Amino acid sequence: MKISDFSIKRPVFTMVTMILVLVLGAVSFFKIPVTLIPELNPPIGVVVTNYAGASPKEVSEKVTKPIESNLATLPGIKSIQSVSEEGSNFLLMQFDWSTSIEDVEMDILQRIDLTPIPEGAEKPRFLKFDPSQFPIIQLSLRSTDASVPISSLATELEQELRRIDGVASVNVSGKITEEIQVLLNQQQLVKYGVGQSDIIAAIQGNNQSLPGAPVETDDGLRLTTRVISTLTTVEDLEGLVVFTNPATGKNVRLSDVASVKKALSEQTLMTRANEQDAVLMSVLQESGSNTASVSKAFQASLKTLLQSKEYENVQADILFDQGDYIQLAIQNIGSSLLFGALFAMVVLFLFLRGIRSPIIIGVAIPYSVIVTFVLMFFADFAINIMTLGALALGIGMLVDNAIVVIENIERHLAMGKSKRQAASDGTKEVGGAIIASTLTTVAVFVPVVFISGLIGQLFKEFALTISFSLIASLVVAQTVIPMVASRILTTPKGNLDARRRRSKAYGNFERSIQWSLRNRWVVIGLTTIFMGASIYGLTKVGTEFLPATDEGFVSISVELPNGSSTDKTDETVKEIEKTLEQEKNVDVFVSMIGGTQQGASQGTSEANKAELYVKLVPLSEREESVFTFVERVEKKVQKNVLNDAMVSFNLQTTAGSTPNTLSFTATDSNEKELKEAVQEIQSTLSSLPHVRKVTNDLNDTVKEIQIEVNREEARKVGLLPAQIGQMVQSITKGVMATQIVSEQEDVFGVRVAYDPDVIKSVASLKSLQLKTPSGSFVPLESIAAITTENGPVSIKRYDQAHSASFTVEYESAVSLGEISEEVDREIEKLSLSENVELNFSGDRELFEGAIDDMILALLLAVILVYLVMAAQFESFVYPFVIMFSVPLMIIGVAASLVITKTPISITAVIGLLVLVGIVVNNGIVLVDYILQQKRAGKSTAESLIISAKDRVRPILMTALTTILGLVPLALALGEGTEINQPMGIAVIGGLISSTFLTLYIIPIIFSFVDSETRKKVFLD
């Protein structure tokens, strides 16, 4: 190879190039952003419409269905899910991963504009999925001093923390604000003939600041004008004249008809941290920001603020910090990488039994990694668990080329050649083989680049990173290794070949090769039996999408029957809190009662719902995983809570998968048939042995007070149904009339509402006094019938049909594939209507969608590897011989997965893909050397034995360095390493079986294709 000769002749030039690359690598490393996983942009769009006052049925018929109909034919659309609730709807559109949401955005907006929307409904809004909309940090804030309100301190902290570079916004849930409450006395209102609307108009009319036109003064100035009449205190409001009796001229002040006071706003959402009053703070980062850097800056600023005297009574508990988890995961995978490199070096020292050769080869690892960082920087990649996982997987392979080169150089030195000549000849002799082996390994990753969907986005950077590192190791083996070897290697003492011939191990190995060549069909038969058993074993290990990652965080959702009060929901939450308080593995837990975090961000509350967020102590400080914790604690919680409370423990990984959960949607255009099907499915699946819980979202009705207006009676008193509805809404909900600014510049809302006693029951509601246009008052029951009826909560649809979504939670000892088979089998037995369709989602949908792509990628990888070798060997026969090393890996892969009880996942299949490129390397080295021996005039039988004997050492060295380099990855020590574990296990197992069997099977297959030994191998 000319490049190796150039490096040997120009050592200074080679060293300067190395130093330059090292400098570039160091700069690149510090410039590359740090994230947990590659940036994902799911093709998901949302359409939201507000239709105030409309029932779920009205929203569904007048808004949801027309929008669905128009959007259903969008290019690339996969499914449309909709929820129609009182006053609003929500449509979720999922597109194929090959579709860019930006490409269809204009089409969506045009179709929305063409959809007829009823009067009173707001224009539908389109929202794109944005990962930056999810918080990167969640923490609770509580006061250690009961006299200090946490709400006001949290608001001040919020303002301070928003200034941090990279922070887009800081949201606080559960904070309590002060307002001025004007509570109207119904009797006094009737006495003075004043209505709620009169009070509101009076307050708004007296609290104004309006600009006028500019006016020129006598001294030549042009000044703006402003009419000011502001209210600043409670006393100002109390003294406000709201009505003047025209008969007597007497003024009626606000204090005559209402009580006015400054009070805390009505708390519909309660938040507690470790059973103490608290607020929940969520931090969102700016799009494109470095998560780890933003997290570090936020925590530093928070720590500084909490140490100040102003916030000394504030206790902050971090619930979830993506930046912390990223740093921990990166450190753990980084440790796996370093330990892998260390183990690889140990192998080199054991085999080479010297100091110089291992050091020369050891240069290949850090140098190749640094070159990879340079290429990653220019490819705009980030350091994450996928790119570092790629380096950890390839760390042992980075020395493979160097081992083959240095081992061959030593062999040439033993022949008596000079150092330079040995370095040149030794590198040239194996140059073709290492280029072929590197290209075959890189070739297997070409199909990964073209895989679409979530898997494509997750593993594209992985595939390219490992390819970068292998190409870098090839360049190092061709340039740096021969240059350094030509300077520092010495001629070994004694004859190396003679020493090996006298070696007992070499003698035994040679005899085993001779025996296998004499008994070819016995060896092939035994191998075939092992392969058959292995394939059977693979069918029994189960399947999963991605390995679940233990992030030490779990959310608990609580739902009581519709219509339950906040107090009843709080009772259930307190029972759960008692259970969590007793758990030593729980670090902190936050409870949100009266709604969900998503609802709170949209300004809505639901009295019958609650959420708890639980953070466990670090993995190193607990003996059980978060999955075992959930299974154990969930059983305890279910025993303690009310029977009618639905409690669900939810786990969500950063990669988007939901561990131990199978989800699907049942659809039917006939609502009655759907309800019957849901009941059958619910009953059947709940009885399965490995199922912890089955839930569905087919909502029943909720009790509500319905006020049906008698139009004739209402007309007699001069009221329209719309006026009655507006008055009842204002009386029962209250109206925010205005805002006042105090002298201290604090802003308070002024809410005008009736005294709570007036609307506390159905009876009091019936006697509600409504003001008519004539000024008289009539009781509500005289113009409307007031009854308690059942009304729908929401209407859910999937692809324009009625739907119900199921969530099946199963034990962690069972795989996704096993539970899927059980569920499919049980559903098949049911006599469901032909119109009922089941659509699986979540991990099962992702796995089924990805596994076909992965199998195709595996087949393409095999074809590409064969074609690359055919081009290298200028033959179709010899690559065919080498390809027999590929199926041999199945034996080890199956054994390793069965022994470790690891299900087949996407990462395990990626491991198989990697193996296709790795296992042929040994075959390439072996076949290439066999051909060299034949060209030297030796017989085929002699060439087979000599090649196996001469190449066993570098083959075992390269295999062991790769295997031991992967051990830390396969052990998955620490957070964030689980996702790459099946890959490490599969590659180790496959490499062990393939390496061992290749030394015997490849010579046997070669003997079959060579005319000289086809019928029988003649050995001396």
Side-chain angles (χ1 to χ4, degrees):
M1 289 289 169
K2 290 183 179 179
I3 189 171
S4 55
D5 288 341
F6 179 83
S7 300
I8 294 166
K9 292 174 183 175
R10 301 284 300 274
V12 175
F13 180 88
T14 306
M15 288 294 293
V16 168
T17 306
M18 280 182 67
I19 294 168
L20 181 63
V21 171
L22 289 173
V23 172
L24 281 173
V27 174
S28 299
F29 177 76
F30 291 105
K31 291 280 186 182
I32 297 173
V34 179
T35 62
L36 185 62
I37 57 174
E39 187 176 343
L40 302 176
N41 292 300
I44 294 173
V46 170
V47 176
V48 181
T49 313
N50 291 324
Y51 188 9
S55 67
K57 187 72 174 174
E58 285 180 292
V59 173
S60 178
E61 295 296 329
K62 296 180 180 179
V63 180
T64 305
K65 287 184 178 180
I67 295 176
E68 280 181 344
S69 179
N70 274 358
L71 298 179
T73 54
L74 280 166
I77 195 157
K78 191 175 179 182
S79 66
I80 298 180
Q81 299 175 58
S82 67
V83 180
S84 301
E85 299 176 315
E86 184 176 345
S88 67
N89 80 341
F90 176 90
L91 275 83
L92 178 71
M93 297 174 291
Q94 286 185 286
F95 294 84
D96 292 325
W97 279 88
S98 58
T99 304
S100 169
I101 201 73
E102 282 77 17
D103 293 342
V104 294
E105 183 177 0
M106 285 305 298
D107 199 355
I108 293 170
L109 293 172
Q110 286 174 0
R111 294 183 186 220
I112 288 173
D113 288 339
L114 293 172
T115 305
I117 299 298
E119 189 177 345
E122 295 180 10
K123 183 181 178 182
R125 288 173 293 137
F126 171 66
L127 305 168
K128 290 184 290 187
F129 177 87
D130 184 358
S132 65
Q133 293 172 348
F134 295 94
I136 60 164
I137 302 172
Q138 279 192 326
L139 64 151
S140 65
L141 299 173
R142 50 194 164 114
S143 177
T144 55
D145 185 351
S147 62
V148 180
I150 187 61
S151 184
S152 57
L153 290 173
T155 303
E156 292 170 18
L157 268 174
E158 179 186 349
Q159 300 300 323
E160 294 286 342
L161 294 170
R162 278 182 175 173
R163 301 175 186 172
I164 299 169
D165 188 34
V167 171
S169 67
V170 179
N171 302 324
V172 178
S173 304
K175 63 181 179 182
I176 306 166
T177 57
E178 279 190 306
E179 66 179 11
I180 294 175
Q181 295 177 353
V182 179
L183 301 179
L184 303 176
N185 184 314
Q186 183 171 245
Q187 290 180 343
Q188 293 297 100
L189 289 175
V190 174
K191 176 183 175 181
Y192 292 110
V194 182
Q196 184 185 22
S197 58
D198 299 324
I199 304 294
I200 294 168
I203 294 172
Q204 291 174 341
N206 283 279
N207 189 44
Q208 295 290 330
S209 176
L210 298 172
V215 174
E216 293 186 7
T217 62
D218 295 337
D219 52 357
L221 296 175
R222 184 178 175 83
L223 305 177
T224 58
T225 57
R226 181 172 293 278
V227 180
I228 299 172
S229 172
T230 56
L231 304 170
T232 57
T233 63
V234 170
E235 290 73 22
D236 289 348
L237 283 164
E238 287 178 327
L240 191 66
V241 176
V242 295
F243 179 71
T244 301
N245 191 319
T248 62
K250 183 180 178 182
N251 291 331
V252 178
R253 300 187 183 276
L254 186 56
S255 57
D256 295 330
V257 294
S259 65
V260 184
K261 61 180 181 180
K262 188 186 294 183
L264 297 176
S265 59
E266 185 182 356
Q267 193 176 0
T268 55
L269 201 65
M270 295 184 288
T271 308
R272 289 194 296 268
N274 288 4
E275 301 179 281
Q276 296 178 16
D277 288 340
V279 295
L280 185 66
M281 182 176 281
S282 302
V283 182
L284 280 72
Q285 70 173 6
E286 293 174 352
S287 184
S289 298
N290 188 326
T291 305
S293 300
V294 174
S295 166
K296 194 173 180 181
F298 180 87
Q299 291 220 36
S301 297
L302 180 64
K303 185 178 180 181
T304 304
L305 286 168
L306 294 182
Q307 287 174 347
S308 64
K309 190 173 181 180
E310 188 179 357
Y311 303 109
E312 61 183 359
N313 294 316
V314 177
Q315 170 76 43
D317 296 298
I318 303 289
L319 264 176
F320 175 74
D321 186 342
Q322 201 178 95
D324 264 356
Y325 184 75
I326 288 171
Q327 290 176 336
L328 201 59
I330 296 299
Q331 285 172 8
N332 288 332
I333 295 181
S335 298
S336 297
L337 197 154
L338 291 173
F339 279 114
L342 183 64
F343 290 156
M345 290 301 297
V346 169
V347 172
L348 296 178
F349 278 109
L350 288 174
F351 268 85
L352 299 175
R353 296 182 182 179
I355 194 74
R356 297 184 182 186
S357 293
I359 288 175
I360 294 171
I361 296 170
V363 170
I365 295 177
Y367 190 67
S368 300
V369 170
I370 289 168
V371 171
T372 304
F373 285 136
V374 176
L375 296 172
M376 282 172 62
F377 174 76
F378 287 109
D380 200 24
F381 288 177
I383 293 175
N384 51 53
I385 61 174
M386 299 312 298
T387 51
L388 274 188
L391 286 173
L393 181 67
I395 197 71
M397 291 188 283
L398 298 183
V399 296
D400 287 0
N401 292 330
I403 286 172
V404 173
V405 169
I406 207 76
E407 203 271 344
N408 212 42
I409 291 172
E410 283 191 333
R411 199 171 63 82
H412 280 267
L413 277 170
M415 294 177 186
K417 295 181 181 179
S418 66
K419 289 189 287 186
R420 288 195 176 189
Q421 190 62 42
S424 176
D425 292 348
T427 306
K428 285 177 184 176
E429 192 173 61
V430 294
I434 63 173
I435 289 172
S437 63
T438 302
L439 288 178
T440 54
T441 308
V442 171
V444 302
F445 296 109
V446 173
V448 176
V449 176
F450 296 103
I451 292 175
S452 61
L454 177 63
I455 295 305
Q457 291 200 18
L458 273 177
F459 286 97
K460 182 180 177 181
E461 290 187 11
F462 172 91
L464 289 174
T465 300
I466 199 168
S467 300
F468 291 161
S469 65
L470 291 173
I471 291 168
S473 74
L474 174 63
V475 174
V476 170
Q478 293 274 30
T479 56
V480 177
I481 299 301
M483 184 274 290
V484 179
S486 69
R487 294 298 185 277
I488 68 172
L489 278 187
T490 56
T491 304
K493 295 177 182 178
N495 190 305
L496 189 64
D497 285 334
R499 285 207 310 269
R500 289 180 182 176
R501 279 195 296 272
R502 290 194 298 270
S503 167
K504 189 176 179 180
Y506 268 90
N508 290 335
F509 175 69
E510 184 178 355
R511 283 189 289 276
S512 69
I513 293 291
Q514 290 173 347
W515 182 90
S516 67
L517 288 170
R518 290 193 187 99
N519 301 275
R520 294 182 293 184
W521 289 110
V522 173
V523 175
I524 289 173
L526 288 171
T527 305
T528 305
I529 291 169
F530 278 120
M531 283 189 63
S534 301
I535 292 169
Y536 175 77
L538 287 175
T539 63
K540 297 298 178 183
V541 294
T543 57
E544 65 180 0
F545 174 55
L546 288 174
T549 52
D550 187 342
E551 298 180 17
F553 180 81
V554 58
S555 63
I556 305 171
S557 60
V558 180
E559 185 173 357
L560 271 68
N562 294 315
S564 299
S565 66
T566 305
D567 291 339
K568 192 175 180 183
T569 306
D570 192 27
E571 286 177 25
T572 304
V573 171
K574 284 178 178 176
E575 288 295 333
I576 299 172
E577 288 177 336
K578 286 178 185 176
T579 305
L580 295 175
E581 189 64 38
Q582 297 166 3
E583 292 294 326
K584 63 178 182 179
N585 288 330
V586 173
D587 183 14
V588 63
F589 56 88
V590 173
S591 311
M592 184 180 284
I593 305 103
T596 62
Q597 194 174 349
Q598 182 181 351
S601 65
Q602 296 170 354
T604 61
S605 61
E606 295 171 279
N608 66 317
K609 291 185 179 181
E611 283 183 341
L612 290 92
Y613 312 101
V614 185
K615 178 191 177 186
L616 305 186
V617 296
L619 187 59
S620 57
E621 297 175 24
R622 50 186 159 94
E623 296 177 356
E624 63 179 354
S625 69
V626 68
F627 315 108
T628 311
F629 170 84
V630 165
E631 288 181 13
R632 181 175 57 79
V633 174
E634 188 170 20
K635 290 176 183 176
K636 292 170 68 175
V637 167
Q638 295 293 355
K639 290 178 183 176
N640 298 334
V641 300
L642 300 168
N643 291 331
D644 56 355
M646 191 165 66
V647 181
S648 299
F649 283 63
N650 308 307
L651 291 165
Q652 184 81 31
T653 67
T654 311
S657 68
T658 311
N660 306 332
T661 302
L662 176 69
S663 53
F664 62 92
T665 302
T667 63
D668 195 328
S669 55
N670 187 311
E671 194 172 359
K672 184 181 177 183
E673 286 182 356
L674 178 65
K675 286 183 178 180
E676 291 172 356
V678 167
Q679 289 174 357
E680 284 189 68
I681 295 170
Q682 178 77 29
S683 175
T684 301
L685 298 187
S686 297
S687 61
L688 292 177
H690 300 296
V691 170
R692 296 192 343 247
K693 186 194 297 179
V694 180
T695 56
N696 71 76
D697 66 354
L698 187 66
N699 286 323
D700 295 322
T701 55
V702 60
K703 284 191 174 182
E704 63 182 13
I705 298 170
Q706 294 185 354
I707 303 170
E708 187 173 351
V709 177
N710 185 322
R711 289 192 293 273
E712 184 59 30
E713 293 299 321
R715 186 188 62 77
K716 289 178 182 178
V717 297
L719 290 173
L720 293 170
Q723 292 173 304
I724 296 169
Q726 183 63 50
M727 281 191 279
V728 171
Q729 185 184 55
S730 298
I731 290 168
T732 53
K733 287 187 173 181
V735 176
M736 191 60 69
T738 188
Q739 286 183 320
I740 67 171
V741 181
S742 69
E743 293 176 357
Q744 290 77 32
E745 296 187 352
D746 293 323
V747 180
F748 298 98
V750 179
R751 192 167 70 90
V752 180
Y754 270 54
D755 190 291
D757 291 337
V758 177
I759 52 173
K760 68 179 180 181
S761 65
V762 176
S764 60
L765 198 61
K766 287 180 179 180
S767 59
L768 197 64
Q769 299 294 314
L770 303 182
K771 187 181 178 184
T772 66
S774 64
S776 62
F777 285 81
V778 295
L780 181 58
E781 63 181 341
S782 68
I783 55 174
I786 303 170
T787 56
T788 303
E789 303 289 345
N790 290 323
V793 178
S794 62
I795 298 172
K796 296 181 174 68
R797 288 161 58 83
Y798 183 96
D799 285 345
Q800 304 185 73
H802 294 288
S803 70
S805 297
F806 283 85
T807 302
V808 181
E809 296 176 27
Y810 55 89
E811 296 171 359
S812 57
V814 184
S815 71
L816 174 66
E818 290 168 328
I819 200 69
S820 294
E821 285 179 13
E822 284 187 41
V823 168
D824 290 347
R825 189 166 52 247
E826 292 302 317
I827 291 177
E828 278 289 325
K829 295 176 184 177
L830 299 176
S831 55
L832 300 178
S833 166
E834 292 181 359
N835 297 322
V836 175
E837 292 184 12
L838 299 183
N839 299 282
F840 285 89
S841 55
D843 284 11
R844 175 164 169 175
E845 180 192 23
L846 291 169
F847 179 80
E848 289 177 349
I851 197 66
D852 292 338
D853 283 344
M854 295 307 301
I855 291 171
L856 177 64
L858 205 57
L859 293 173
L860 284 174
V862 171
I863 294 168
L864 284 172
V865 166
Y866 175 76
L867 292 175
V868 168
M869 290 192 297
Q872 285 288 325
F873 283 95
E874 198 60 37
S875 166
F876 289 107
V877 176
Y878 299 124
F880 176 74
V881 173
I882 296 167
M883 289 306 292
F884 274 87
S885 60
V886 173
L888 302 177
M889 70 184 185
I890 300 297
I891 299 170
V893 169
S896 61
L897 293 180
V898 169
I899 292 168
T900 58
K901 297 180 180 179
T902 303
I904 297 171
S905 62
I906 296 302
T907 45
V909 178
I910 289 285
L912 285 174
L913 201 65
V914 173
L915 274 169
V916 171
I918 297 175
V919 297
V920 296
N921 293 345
N922 296 332
I924 289 170
V925 170
L926 203 55
V927 170
D928 182 64
Y929 200 69
I930 292 169
L931 295 173
Q932 286 184 31
Q933 295 302 312
K934 286 195 69 174
R935 283 194 291 269
K938 294 184 175 65
S939 68
T940 301
E942 190 181 4
S943 298
L944 292 174
I945 294 169
I946 290 172
S947 299
K949 193 171 63 174
D950 283 357
R951 283 288 163 255
V952 66
R953 194 162 176 263
I955 284 173
L956 288 178
M957 283 173 67
T958 55
L960 279 172
T961 52
T962 304
I963 289 166
L964 288 177
L966 283 168
V967 167
L969 201 66
L971 292 175
L973 303 173
E975 292 91 335
T977 55
E978 302 97 332
I979 198 166
N980 290 309
Q981 185 181 28
M983 195 187 308
I985 291 170
V987 173
I988 287 174
L991 202 51
I992 289 172
S993 66
S994 181
T995 300
F996 176 74
L997 291 172
T998 294
L999 292 167
Y1000 296 93
I1001 296 296
I1002 295 300
I1004 289 172
I1005 301 299
F1006 194 100
S1007 70
F1008 278 123
V1009 300
D1010 192 283
S1011 58
E1012 190 181 323
T1013 54
R1014 188 168 297 148
K1015 293 182 180 180
K1016 188 177 180 181
V1017 180
F1018 296 95
L1019 301 170
D1020 296 333

